[in-house]
Amino acid sequence: MSLFWRIFSLNAVGLVAAAALLLGPVTVSTPVLPGEALAVVAGLAALLAANALVLRIGLAPLQRLGRAMATADLLRPGARAAVAGPAETAALITTYNTMLDRLEAERATGAARALSAQERERHRIARELHDEVGQTLTAVLLQLKRVADRVPDELREEVSQAQEATRAGLDEIRRIARRLRPGVLDELGLPSALRSLAAEFTTHGLTVRHHVPGDLPRLTEESELVVYRVAQEGLTNTARHAAADRAEVRLRPVTDGVELLVRDNGKGLGGAPDGSGISGMRERALLIGAALSLEPAPGRGTDIRLRVPTVTGTHR
């Protein structure tokens, strides 16, 4: 029954009962006797209580819908308001759930286009850094080497410093290019790329261990890239913000997929809201239908888990 007919029926019953009493043998004295006043007050209270009960039951689904709308997050899809209540309310909740389905689909499509464009731009910049800037610095380094053989002894130290600075700049350019577009991922596959990533982030203040077996379920190219980027972002956050001295990267097969775990022993997330890095990881996970979770690690620190569905087929 719709909310309108519920309230109308209850009010109609109350008014019909009041009219029947007025037309019947029931009378009210003047002045009103205590018993008569008590009967009128009791009847009014019963009518108000029934009205309140009907409204509470009828409006409860709207309150649940309001809470669902307030907590909806397109980066955490799947949560829907329960369809219940009167016909109008049920229709409203159904419309909201349909709208949420459409918004999630449109966001996933838009995120896929944006991330695809981002990867193409990364690839272009990495290629230009390697081909243009890298070759230029290499030529400068060779010219400095020729100059170093001819300069007077008093200038030899300065030329040597310029060589070292140029060599350091060249190494940094190559490192940036590798992080923009990991060639090892294209050439040697995901396990080797994750091992290389762990070695890259192992510095004097941070030790990154890896547990990446070579025999894993088959993943698509998009899934491999997402796994790599999530691991890269997780280790970047660890190195910059976690104040950790140990981290680990694990990739293991699970039921119907693989699971990536990036764990550190840092200070944890606390109550901080998601930054752009975590939001980017969630969008990448949505792109391939993966599940991403961030939770406290045993003891202290943070666990980043990414569960990726696999393509049906053989192991690689």
Side-chain angles (χ1 to χ4, degrees), residues 87-264:
E88 300 97 329
T89 305
L92 178 61
I93 296 174
T94 301
T95 302
Y96 167 73
N97 288 340
T98 303
M99 179 192 69
L100 206 56
D101 292 338
R102 187 173 64 252
L103 287 176
E104 288 180 357
E106 291 176 354
R107 182 183 180 95
T109 303
R113 289 196 297 265
L115 292 175
S116 178
Q118 184 184 77
E119 289 299 330
R120 288 196 301 270
E121 187 67 11
R122 283 172 177 259
H123 191 278
R124 184 188 65 81
I125 294 174
R127 185 175 61 251
E128 291 186 359
L129 284 175
H130 182 273
D131 296 343
E132 302 295 333
V133 182
Q135 290 181 5
T136 300
L137 288 178
T138 301
V140 171
L141 193 61
L142 293 175
Q143 291 177 355
L144 286 173
K145 185 178 184 305
R146 289 195 295 269
V147 170
D149 298 333
R150 304 174 185 174
V151 297
D153 293 339
E154 60 270 15
L155 298 178
R156 194 175 301 276
E157 180 65 24
E158 295 181 9
V159 174
S160 177
Q161 292 177 358
Q163 284 181 294
E164 292 302 320
T166 305
R167 187 175 293 109
L170 181 60
D171 292 340
E172 183 67 14
I173 289 295
R174 289 171 176 168
R175 186 186 67 82
I176 294 173
R178 285 195 305 269
R179 296 192 66 183
L180 285 173
R181 184 65 184 182
V184 65
L185 180 62
D186 298 330
E187 297 167 3
L188 301 179
L190 181 60
S192 297
L194 291 178
R195 298 186 192 107
S196 176
L197 187 66
E200 179 183 343
F201 276 90
T202 297
T203 61
H204 296 294
L206 179 65
T207 301
V208 182
R209 297 181 301 172
H210 60 79
H211 304 274
V212 185
D215 186 25
L216 289 169
R218 182 178 179 83
L219 297 176
T220 64
E221 292 184 2
E222 293 80 4
S223 297
E224 288 189 346
L225 184 58
V226 168
V227 170
Y228 181 86
R229 291 300 186 198
V230 170
Q232 185 182 52
E233 185 63 36
L235 290 176
T236 299
N237 288 341
T238 297
R240 291 180 179 177
H241 310 299
D245 58 5
R246 293 193 310 275
E248 62 178 314
V249 177
R250 293 178 179 267
L251 189 65
R252 64 186 183 95
V254 294
T255 304
D256 298 327
V258 297
E259 182 184 74
L260 171 72
L261 170 65
V262 181
R263 172 177 291 171
D264 64 62

Side-chain angles (χ1 to χ4, degrees), residues 73-80 100 104 282 286 290:
D73 187 353
L74 295 181
L75 291 179
R76 296 176 175 87
R80 297 292 182 269
L100 206 56
E104 288 180 357
R282 294 193 188 281
L286 287 177

